[in-house]
Amino acid sequence: MLAEIKGLNEECGVFGIWGHKDPAPIAYYGLHSLQHRGQEGAGIVVSDGEKLKTHKGMGLVNEVFGKGEINDMYGKGAIGHVRYTTAGGSNLLNVQPLVFNSQKGSLALAHNGNLVNATSLKHQLERQGSIFQTTSDTEVVAHLIKRSGFEDVVDQIKNALTMVKGAYAFMFMVEDKLIAALDPNGLRPLSIGRLGDGYVLSSETCAFDIIGATYEREVEPGELVIIDDEGLRSERFSSSPKRAICSMEYVYFARPDSNVDQINVHQARKSLGKQLAQEHPIEADVVTGVPDSSISAAIGYAEQSGIPYELGLIKNRYVGRTFIQPSQELREQGVKMKLSAVRGVVEGKRVVMIDDSIVRGTTSRRIVKLLREAGAKEVHVRISAPPIKNPCFYGIDTSTSSELIASVKTVEEIREEIGADTLEFLSVEGLMDGIGRSKEMENCGQCLACFTGQYPTEIYPDTDHPQEKC
C-alpha cells in the first residue's frame, strides 16, 4: 500500500486458528494475506495445550519470521497480528499479540480497532494499582480481565468487554481455547472459516482463500466465539444495536478479493465508480485509477460513462517502506519513486483520475502534478466516497479535524489546492446505494461518521488524544 502517499491508514489485522496440526505456518500465511492492514510489526502466539509460545518483531511478516522461527512453533492453535503504527510510535512492546502470565495461566490477545474510553479506564486502573508496560489500549483489556473476579476465562472476558467502548475485533487465547469477540456495533470485520477439522478466524476472507479454508459466516456484533477441542460455540456479551460496519472497509481498506459482511469488495468499489459516473459525468478521453484501491472504482466509472479505462498511473512495487525525506524536493521525488504516470496513455488527453478519498490534499496535488507533467491536457478528479470531514476514533489514523482538508475547505477550494480542472465527490446516498447494504437497516448497516459526524458510539473527552491504536 502507498502508506506514505495515501495519508489514510488502517490499524491492524487479526488471524486465529484452532484444531490444526500446523497452526503456526497457517497463521503465517494468514497474516501474509492481511499484510495490507499493517506493515510495522507482526507476531504469532501458539498454544500446545499446556503453554504459549510467542514470536514477534518489527517489520513485515516475512521479515519477522525470516529466519525459520515458524518451524519451532508447534501446537494446536495460534493467533496472529499485523500492526500499523499510529500515536504511540514504532515500539516492540506494542507489537501484538500481547502475552500476560500469571499463576493461573497465560493469556494472549490481539486487537483490531480502537477503544474510545481507553484513557479513562487506564487512569482508573492505575489508581487501583495497575502498572502498564505498553502504550496500547489493548493492554487495558488484559487488566480488566484479570481484575474481573470471575474464575472462568470466558466469564472474565465477557465482564471486561462490558466496560470497554469503541471498535474492536479481539482474539484471545489461553492454553486450551481460542476466543474471539466483535464490538456491539460490528465496526470492524471478522469472519469464521473451516480448515479440515479446525476453525479459522480472520479480519478478511482473503486469508481463507490463501490457506484453503472454507468461509462459514461472519462473527456477529456483540458475539463471543469460543473454540476448543470440543468445537465451536457462541455466546453473547452484549445486545447488539443496528450494525455500523466501517464504510472505509469497502472504499479503501479491505482487499478487493475479500468479502466484508458477504459483500465482495471489488464489486462494491466497481459499483461506487458507476454511481460516481452517474452523479458526476464529464467529457474526457481516458479514465484512470490511483493504484491499488481505486482501480475497481475506475473500471466502474469507465463502464458507466463509456470513456475508455487505461493504466495511466503505475505503482512501483519495489520501493522500500521507508524513505528519507529531509527536504521538499526529496519528498516530491519520493512520490515519483512510488508512483509514475504513463505518458503514452495521458499525453494530450483529458484524464478522469479516480481516487477513493482526499484526506490532507497533499497526495492528490502531487498525483495531479504527475499527470500534468506527463502531458495530460486536463485532469478531472472524481472521488468514490463523500468528503472526509470528521475524525475517526475507531482505528483509522485521522483523530483530529485539523488533519482533514474537507473539514476546513469547500470542494472548490480543495480543487484549487490540488490543481485539478474539476473535482467531485460521491454523495452519502450514492455511497450506500453503491455498496448495496440493506436499506431496511439503520444507516444501511454502515458507520458514516467520517462523512456525517454521526458516531455510532459515545465519544469520550479523552478520545481526542487517543493512545496507541490497534
Side-chain angles (χ1 to χ4, degrees), residues 176-459:
D176 63 347
K177 59 177 65 71
L178 186 159
I179 301 163
L182 191 65
D183 71 78
N185 294 99
L187 283 152
R188 299 266 72 87
L190 189 61
S191 299
I192 303 171
R194 289 297 301 267
L195 183 61
D197 295 328
Y199 287 92
V200 290
L201 300 109
S202 176
S203 291
E204 292 188 33
T205 60
C206 61
F208 298 162
D209 299 327
I210 296 296
I211 64 174
T214 303
Y215 170 82
E216 288 277 302
R217 66 177 180 88
E218 304 288 310
V219 177
E220 295 295 323
E223 182 183 14
L224 201 71
V225 175
I226 305 104
I227 307 171
D228 56 22
D229 293 345
E230 303 299 317
L232 181 149
R233 71 181 192 275
S234 172
E235 298 185 16
R236 297 205 64 83
F237 65 89
S238 171
S239 58
S240 176
K242 297 294 185 182
R243 182 156 201 183
I245 193 166
C246 174
S247 295
M248 293 305 291
E249 292 286 350
Y250 297 102
V251 173
Y252 174 65
F253 294 129
R255 263 177 45 165
D257 53 336
S258 287
N259 294 332
V260 176
D261 205 17
Q262 303 182 63
I263 296 174
N264 176 255
V265 173
H266 164 71
Q267 293 295 340
R269 289 176 185 166
K270 188 176 177 182
S271 181
L272 291 176
K274 291 182 177 181
Q275 193 74 30
L276 186 61
Q278 291 175 5
E279 291 186 10
H280 301 294
I282 190 73
E283 290 188 7
D285 303 306
V286 65
V287 176
T288 193
V290 179
D292 286 319
S293 56
S294 303
I295 299 300
S296 300
I299 293 171
Y301 191 100
E303 284 190 9
Q304 181 66 35
S305 65
I307 303 170
Y309 167 79
E310 293 284 356
L311 285 174
L313 293 164
I314 302 294
K315 185 170 75 170
N316 183 354
R317 302 183 185 279
Y318 301 99
V319 176
R321 290 178 296 115
T322 57
F323 185 73
I324 299 172
Q325 300 173 331
S327 67
Q328 178 64 28
E329 182 180 355
L330 287 181
R331 280 194 291 271
E332 297 289 344
Q333 188 64 33
V335 173
K336 292 180 180 179
M337 287 178 65
K338 293 175 182 294
L339 202 62
S340 301
V342 183
R343 180 174 293 273
V345 169
V346 305
E347 189 172 23
K349 304 286 181 62
R350 299 169 295 174
V351 178
V352 182
M353 184 193 96
I354 306 296
D355 206 354
D356 48 63
S357 59
I358 296 180
V359 182
R360 298 166 183 87
T362 53
T363 298
S364 299
R365 182 174 66 249
R366 292 168 183 170
I367 298 175
V368 169
K369 184 180 178 183
L370 282 178
L371 291 168
R372 292 201 187 281
E373 288 175 346
K377 184 167 65 175
E378 297 174 6
V379 180
H380 302 279
V381 177
R382 296 292 182 269
I383 307 299
S384 59
I388 299 176
K389 297 181 178 181
N390 306 283
C392 176
F393 303 115
Y394 303 123
I396 302 173
D397 65 343
T398 55
S399 57
T400 61
S401 296
S402 61
E403 301 175 72
L404 307 172
I405 190 171
S407 71
V408 295
K409 292 181 182 290
T410 65
V411 172
E412 175 59 21
E413 289 170 336
I414 298 172
R415 184 199 65 77
E416 292 179 359
E417 178 79 15
I418 67 175
D421 290 283
T422 65
L423 168 67
E424 299 291 351
F425 292 83
L426 187 64
S427 67
V428 172
E429 295 76 18
L431 175 78
M432 295 187 292
D433 287 343
I435 292 174
R437 302 284 296 178
S438 171
K439 288 184 170 60
E440 284 71 35
M441 299 173 67
E442 185 180 346
N443 263 1
C444 289
Q446 294 171 223
C447 176
L448 302 166
C450 57
F451 312 124
T452 66
Q454 298 177 358
Y455 295 91
T457 73
E458 182 179 357
I459 300 300

Side-chain angles (χ1 to χ4, degrees), residues 11-168:
E11 284 79 34
C12 314
V14 294
F15 183 89
I17 179 169
W18 192 272
H20 193 279
K21 62 183 178 64
D22 294 313
I26 297 297
Y28 171 87
Y29 288 115
L31 291 183
H32 198 275
S33 68
L34 299 175
Q35 188 74 85
H36 58 287
R37 298 184 75 89
Q39 300 91 43
E40 297 298 326
I44 293 174
V45 176
V46 171
S47 172
D48 62 5
E50 296 181 358
K51 61 182 183 298
L52 304 184
K53 184 172 184 177
T54 308
H55 181 76
K56 58 185 181 178
M58 305 300 298
L60 302 175
V61 175
N62 62 349
E63 295 170 342
V64 173
F65 296 93
K67 296 181 179 179
E69 295 88 349
I70 210 76
N71 298 324
D72 297 323
M73 302 181 75
Y74 306 100
K76 60 172 67 177
I79 62 172
H81 188 269
V82 288
R83 175 176 179 271
Y84 171 76
T85 304
T86 53
S90 296
N91 187 327
L92 182 58
L93 287 174
N94 287 329
V95 176
Q96 298 184 24
L98 301 180
V99 179
F100 302 90
N101 301 306
S102 69
Q103 292 181 343
K104 294 186 177 181
S106 300
L107 170 71
L109 68 157
H111 173 206
N112 171 217
N114 189 51
L115 307 180
V116 297
N117 64 336
T119 301
S120 58
L121 285 173
K122 185 174 182 179
H123 290 162
Q124 177 184 333
L125 288 164
E126 285 180 335
R127 286 194 299 268
Q128 295 171 355
S130 291
I131 299 174
F132 288 83
Q133 302 298 314
T134 75
T135 58
S136 171
D137 59 353
T138 309
E139 189 179 356
V140 171
V141 179
H143 286 265
L144 293 173
I145 289 171
K146 288 302 181 182
R147 286 176 169 270
S148 69
F150 292 93
E151 287 295 322
D152 181 72
V153 67
V154 173
D155 292 329
Q156 292 173 352
I157 291 171
K158 289 170 70 174
N159 179 258
L161 293 179
T162 63
M163 291 183 271
V164 298
K165 308 295 181 184
Y168 53 84

